[in-house]
Amino acid sequence: MTESIRRSGEYENFENPYQAPYEGAQQHASSSSAGSSPVNPEWPPPPAYEPVAQPVPQQPAYRQPVVQPTAVWQTGAAGGAGDGHGGGHGGGTALPGSVASEPAPATGRKRARGPFALLAAVAIVAAAIGGGTAYGIQELTGKDEVVSTSTTTSVVPSSKTGDVATIAAAVSPSVVEVSATLSNGTSTGSGVIITSGGEIVTNNHVVSGANSIKVTTSDGKSYTAKVVGTDSKKDLALVKLENASGLKPATLGNSDGVKVGDTVVAIGSPEGLTGTVTSGIVSALSRDVTVSTDEGQSQSQGGRGGDGNWPFQFGGQQFNGDTGTSTTTYKALQTDASLNPGNSGGALIDAGGNIIGINSAMYSAAADSSSSDAGSVGLGFAIPINTVKADLATLRAGGSDS
């Protein structure tokens, strides 16, 4: 009898290999108590979730809502609807896989957007930086016009760097002759175009006390100009041409990068000779140059109305006459490029064609000197262009003298 029951239990387990162990025990007990009464294969109904639910507590808590509950529910549904063998395997394999795979692409896409978002952020920062630079330049030059500035680029081709002829051809259209009519004569100097609409930087002593101003460009066109602002402490002035457009602005460089020995070119209108080009080197940096701030000096020493020499002090000595009692001192670049009366306000240019200074003072022999003393002695000074750029906003607002 015991052997018969054991065979019956083994046979029943073979027929239903997915039956839980306790079900077999209950069936054997029923068989022992009921004698030969048959075992009902439908009772108790096999709980489909039991085999899968057992390992759930062992899984990490954060994975339960994603994989396990879905797999259990799908397996039970499949087993209840059809074959317990095929449905259970089908529900436990395909469906959880498909459910688990749905969030993965979404997560992947979010992560994939990370580098693109970073690149976009970099692009925005770069644009912001670019926008900030353009804004800074606009603040220097006005809302409608932009002055051309450069610290690394070259106006002339790299193969022509330092070539005086190439530099002169490239920059001469940006240098003008400035003629001011004074109460006792005229004052002739030079100027540098900084905007296409006709803003011109020159020396204050060139236009100081002027009743009218005429500007002549390198192509021979003449314009009437008005003073926008003056800064006698830096010997700078800003004038604006009337009804001018399409002019070629000069490229303003970086005077902080200038070194002693650098090649330079000077362009101006010495003695009214428009577009005169000379060359030399930077002889020294940060020279203290003292000039007059008195408008009367310009009238008595102005161009063809006087001896054409603008008085200045340097190294404890006075040149070209008396500077008077009202003076100012600024740091200047010293050059041995030939400068003469009329070069004041003109351009001092580096080897790449960038403006690095506005010529402002030069030593010239007195008019009553012998012919052996005539001509340039290689002692010229220029206001650094960085000083000019820093002063443009003040000049546009009327200058420090307004």
Side-chain angles (χ1 to χ4, degrees), residues 5 8-10 12-13 16 19-32 39 43-44:
I5 292 173
S8 175
E10 291 172 357
E12 290 164 1
N13 289 335
N16 188 7
Q19 185 177 13
Y22 73 87
E23 296 174 29
Q26 290 178 349
Q27 290 174 358
H28 294 322
S30 300
S31 175
S32 299
V39 178
W43 185 93

Side-chain angles (χ1 to χ4, degrees), residues 2-72:
T2 303
E3 184 178 355
S4 174
I5 292 173
R6 186 179 295 114
R7 291 197 184 99
S8 175
E10 291 172 357
Y11 177 78
E12 290 164 1
N13 289 335
F14 178 79
E15 285 295 320
N16 188 7
Y18 297 99
Q19 185 177 13
Y22 73 87
E23 296 174 29
Q26 290 178 349
Q27 290 174 358
H28 294 322
S30 300
S31 175
S32 299
S33 60
S36 60
S37 60
V39 178
N40 184 1
E42 300 296 328
W43 185 93
Y49 59 88
E50 289 268 341
V52 183
Q54 289 179 1
V56 170
Q58 301 176 6
Q59 299 297 325
Y62 66 88
R63 296 183 59 187
Q64 291 178 6
V66 178
V67 178
Q68 296 297 345
T70 305
V72 170

